[in-house]
Amino acid sequence: MKTEKEFHDFLENGDKYYIPNLTIDCAIFGYHGKELKILLAKWRGLDGWGLPGGFIKKKETLSNAATRILKEKTSLDKLYLKQFHVFGDSEFRRKEKEGLSFSPGNNRYLLPKNSWLHERTISIGYYALVEYSQVNLMTDYFIEELVWQDINQVPKLLFDHNEMLSYALRNMRINLYHIPIGYNLLPNKFTLPEIQSLYETILDKKLDRRNFSKKLLKLELIKDTKEVKKIGQHRSPKLYQFDMKKYNEALKNGIVLAI
Amino acid sequence: MKTEKEFHDFLENGDKYYIPNLTIDCAIFGYHGKELKILLAKWRGLDGWGLPGGFIKKKETLSNAATRILKEKTSLDKLYLKQFHVFGDSEFRRKEKEGLSFSPGNNRYLLPKNSWLHERTISIGYYALVEYSQVNLMTDYFIEELVWQDINQVPKLLFDHNEMLSYALRNMRINLYHIPIGYNLLPNKFTLPEIQSLYETILDKKLDRRNFSKKLLKLELIKDTKEVKKIGQHRSPKLYQFDMKKYNEALKNGIVLAI
């Protein structure tokens, strides 16, 4: 959706194309160095920050809807989006919205009383993890601005999006023990401290060095390249890379990583 | 819903009370001895077995809807129901249903062409785990019969319910590493082999005896009662019980159980 005309068509006729009661919201985590960030969107006309999200088309699969919504609103594409929770319990998720208004451009736009957008929405949460220095973001008409916000400095968000974010983070942390990560987040060849730092940043805690590498090597997720990284005269740590066959098997079948 | 009259009212006017596109289905696992079973329901008029499920009321929370649906259709109450996945991707979940018919009693009942029940349904899956020898089941008008079926002998189910069941089982297995279980499944005081057998039955694999008990004791989830169980002249294993303070904390905050 790129123009004000399309925006108004959505407000007035969206229920012809979309399922009215069901939305998708995306928590996109960004990793770089030792930092973990979350992608926040400034919603046009709603005067606040939230997660990027949108409605599901009447005949669309949920996966396709999540991918489309994220691409339309942020230009991010081909992410491994993972469902983590459905939100339908909070006060906000149970009731119809009253007096909802938008202020696109300089005009305040109050929705008509019987607008489909007043209906209760239940929202399905998806999350993904990207290397944020390597992606280009672009907004659509709905979104005025996008920022990568440090995960420890998230402001009060729109609707129940703070709760969503905290669920997403908890779920991503649990999944670290069962889904391999790192491909697309680390260089092709990396040192043990580099991959450990990735896990520590997401878990927000220190891990035992010896134990961590032992477990990863035992699962055969990473393999020794026989090369070293030259850092200084006296430091040349070994370089590893993912065993992509094992990695993809682990993505499919799950792992138990007791780190 | 107890009578044929209410059933017909549901078929004809259900969209006044329920959100048309959204359902809940429940995978209720039953544990007893070394057996794991799944609760299957014979749906009236649909000529097949499936998971118990139903629609969400317009202003109901998802949690309340799941509890209500399960209670109405099976009489099971006060279960710890856990959301595990939303199903909206398969062919069945994307399209409208054509020529849907029910045969309540001896009458075949073809739904009118514009029936709300033809609409696409996206379904939220919940699972729970109970001690099946200790619960009483009762059906409502929708359900003709309920059975506890061995998890390894599940027939072809209605709709996408085999896929749902396999997601539920995988999710419950992963959650074993992060959510304590056993309270309400084991006697108040139990031996280490008894709790290990519970985990092994759910995971469908053998666990290392020494390692298993060490981990549970280290997390302080169970404590030595200083009593023993008299099995025979030469066998009197120690009895343990859950430390309910630690257990409830672990339910709330999660654990990492590397067994």
Side-chain angles (χ1 to χ4, degrees), chain A residues 5 27 36 38 40 43 45-46 53 59 78 81 96 115 117 126 153 166-167 170 184-185 219-220 223 232 234 242:
Chain A
K5 189 164 169 291
L36 186 64
I38 178 75
L40 296 182
W43 282 83
L46 279 177
K59 296 190 178 182
K78 293 178 186 150
L81 279 163
E96 299 188 2
S115 166
L117 281 167
Y126 280 80
Q153 289 167 23
S166 103
Y167 265 79
R170 199 183 324 162
N184 281 347
L185 298 175
L219 286 170
E220 299 178 349
K223 56 188 182 190
H234 302 290
F242 289 112

Side-chain angles (χ1 to χ4, degrees), chain A residues 17 19 56-65, chain B residues 21 87-98 118-123 159-160 163:
Chain A
Y17 324 124
I19 300 173
I56 299 155
K57 288 184 184 166
K58 291 206 185 260
K59 296 190 178 182
E60 196 175 28
T61 68
L62 296 182
S63 315
N64 288 351
Chain B
N21 297 102
F87 297 84
D89 280 10
S90 68
E91 176 78 9
F92 169 74
R93 294 282 165 208
R94 267 182 5 241
K95 64 177 186 188
E96 298 188 1
K97 298 163 201 81
E98 282 164 29
H118 283 138
E119 288 192 40
R120 173 189 186 186
T121 52
I122 287 165
S123 188
F159 317 130
D160 57 350
E163 185 194 0

Side-chain angles (χ1 to χ4, degrees), chain B residues 159-188:
Chain B
F159 317 130
D160 57 350
H161 287 195
N162 291 89
E163 185 194 0
M164 280 187 173
L165 175 54
S166 105
Y167 265 79
L169 189 58
R170 198 183 325 163
N171 208 282
M172 179 170 67
R173 284 176 176 160
I174 285 178
N175 283 339
L176 273 198
Y177 296 93
H178 304 285
I179 303 173
I181 64 155
Y183 183 70
N184 280 348
L185 297 176
L186 294 169
N188 182 30

Side-chain angles (χ1 to χ4, degrees), chain A residues 95 139 166 182 200 213 248:
Chain A
K95 66 177 183 189
T139 60
S166 103
E200 288 181 339
S213 53
N248 286 323

